[in-house]
């Protein structure tokens, strides 16, 4: 394997955290067989680790589940977050549920000033609470061990006291028939509440969540104003979103 391609693989892993063999082949413009041959000596040497048809950097594997998820598709999530951050003005109010893409958004908001932020995520609260004159209100309750977020009746009751300019949720799964769904009842209920408190209701997700369906519906495709993602959704989802009157924005580095 060429040292140039080895360097490209390492660079992609630093950016994405984990990446599937198929995506790696596509990004580097080579066959699956070539990528498998390239990756084998790297895994044999311990430079990368194979996980479920993907590869990752071994130093990431000891991290907490939320930190590991932050590294999945990190480049796409950062791109989405950068686009949304540009639509939020200094001094505005924003409500964010817990999620890796909303945590990326919190980091992109570090240059903003005098924000009012309402969240159930300790990561988002910690990121924005002590900078630039922000006011941060965090929903209370027991914090989950995997994400450091609060859920349940007390968290919902707390955020229901606020009305904000921007309500932003991260998406667990999205398909044409059921809309936004989640795999956890409490997370779905909290996300639904967040959307109800915003003048502008935005759902953000990378393209890996398209065509998936969770156990619990958050809302149908008319339950929010805009979907911001990194790739054009499949045709059935696009048509259903347009029929529901929901805007679709594909973020790009130049938008």
């Amino acid at each position: 394997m060429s040292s140039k391609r080895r360097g490209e693989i390492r660079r992609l892993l630093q950016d994405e955290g984990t990446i599937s063999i198929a995506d790696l082949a596509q990004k580097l413009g080579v066959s699956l067989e070539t990528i498998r041959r390239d990756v084998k000596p790297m895994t044999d040497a311990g430079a990368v680790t194979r996980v479920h048809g993907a590869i990752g950097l071994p130093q990431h594997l000891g991290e907490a589940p939320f930190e590991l998820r932050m590294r999945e598709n990190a480049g796409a999530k950062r791109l989405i977050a950068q686009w949304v951050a540009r639509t939020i003005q200094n001094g505005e109010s924003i409500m964010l549920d817990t999620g890796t893409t909303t945590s990326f958004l919190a980091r992109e908001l570090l240059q903003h000033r005098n924000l009012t932020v309402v969240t159930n995520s300790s990561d988002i609260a910690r990121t924005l609470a002590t900078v630039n004159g922000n006011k941060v209100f965090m929903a209370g309750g027991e914090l989950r061990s995997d994400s450091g977020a609060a859920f349940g009746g007390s968290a919902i009751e707390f955020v229901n006291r606020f009305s904000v300019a921007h309500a932003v949720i991260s998406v667990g799964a999205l398909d044409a028939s059921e809309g936004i769904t989640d795999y956890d009842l409490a997370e779905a209920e909290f996300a639904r509440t967040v959307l109800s408190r915003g003048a502008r209701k935005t759902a953000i997700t990378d393209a890996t969540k398209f065509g998936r369906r969770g156990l619990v519906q958050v809302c149908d495709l008319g339950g929010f104003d805009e979907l911001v993602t990194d790739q054009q959704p499949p045709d059935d989802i696009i048509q259903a979103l347009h029929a529901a009157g929901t805007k679709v924005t594909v973020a790009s580095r130049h938008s």
Side-chain angles (χ1 to χ4, degrees):
M1 175 178 62
S2 72
S3 58
K4 179 182 178 185
R5 198 153 65 235
R6 189 182 298 118
E8 288 174 339
I9 290 171
R10 287 204 183 97
R11 178 184 58 77
L12 284 165
L13 285 172
Q14 289 290 348
D15 189 38
E16 302 286 348
T18 60
I19 188 168
S20 73
I21 297 297
D23 283 349
L24 200 54
Q26 182 182 22
K27 287 176 185 292
L28 296 180
V30 296
S31 69
L32 288 172
E33 291 73 19
T34 298
I35 284 295
R36 290 191 184 102
R37 283 198 303 270
D38 288 349
V39 165
K40 188 176 187 308
M42 298 177 76
T43 55
D44 290 346
V48 300
T49 304
R50 290 291 295 265
V51 216
H52 307 307
I55 58 171
L57 296 174
Q59 63 264 36
H60 298 156
L61 298 180
E63 293 174 320
F66 186 79
E67 294 302 321
L68 283 171
R69 292 199 302 274
M70 283 290 285
R71 295 187 182 279
E72 293 173 359
N73 249 356
K77 293 171 182 176
R78 190 177 298 113
L79 183 65
I80 293 163
Q82 288 168 347
W83 191 94
V84 175
R86 289 197 293 269
T87 70
I88 295 168
Q89 305 302 312
N90 290 334
E92 288 194 308
S93 56
I94 179 170
M95 189 179 290
L96 300 166
D97 74 346
T98 187
T100 54
T101 314
T102 44
S103 278
F104 271 102
L105 175 55
R107 286 152 177 75
E108 295 300 328
L109 291 171
L110 280 169
Q111 303 306 313
H112 286 57
R113 305 189 66 81
N114 302 317
L115 296 174
T116 299
V117 180
V118 185
T119 187
N120 67 328
S121 163
S122 60
D123 177 78
I124 291 170
R126 187 171 58 246
T127 299
L128 293 172
T130 59
V131 295
N132 297 345
N134 296 334
K135 291 181 182 178
V136 175
F137 297 89
M138 183 173 167
E142 181 181 359
L143 300 186
R144 290 241 181 116
S145 59
D146 64 334
S147 63
F151 292 101
S154 59
I156 286 175
E157 181 183 355
F158 180 80
V159 298
N160 259 325
R161 300 174 188 171
F162 297 87
S163 294
V164 296
H166 304 272
V168 184
I169 66 164
S170 55
V171 172
L174 187 152
D175 75 348
S177 58
E178 289 296 309
I180 297 175
T181 53
D182 208 302
Y183 302 92
D184 181 277
L185 176 62
E187 294 192 25
E189 289 178 336
F190 190 85
R192 190 182 307 122
T193 304
V194 169
L195 287 176
S196 74
R197 307 314 300 164
R200 174 196 180 205
K201 310 172 199 299
T202 305
I204 57 179
T205 183
D206 64 85
T208 62
K209 308 299 172 56
F210 295 145
R212 296 185 181 181
R213 184 180 299 184
L215 294 170
V216 188
Q217 188 183 51
V218 175
C219 64
D220 61 28
L221 294 178
F224 53 103
D225 303 318
E226 183 175 6
L227 175 71
V228 183
T229 185
D230 63 310
Q231 295 179 33
Q232 183 85 346
D235 287 345
D236 62 333
I237 293 176
I238 282 282
Q239 290 167 11
L241 284 162
H242 287 164
T246 301
K247 182 180 178 183
V248 180
T249 297
V250 179
S252 76
R253 287 176 175 79
H254 311 293
S255 55

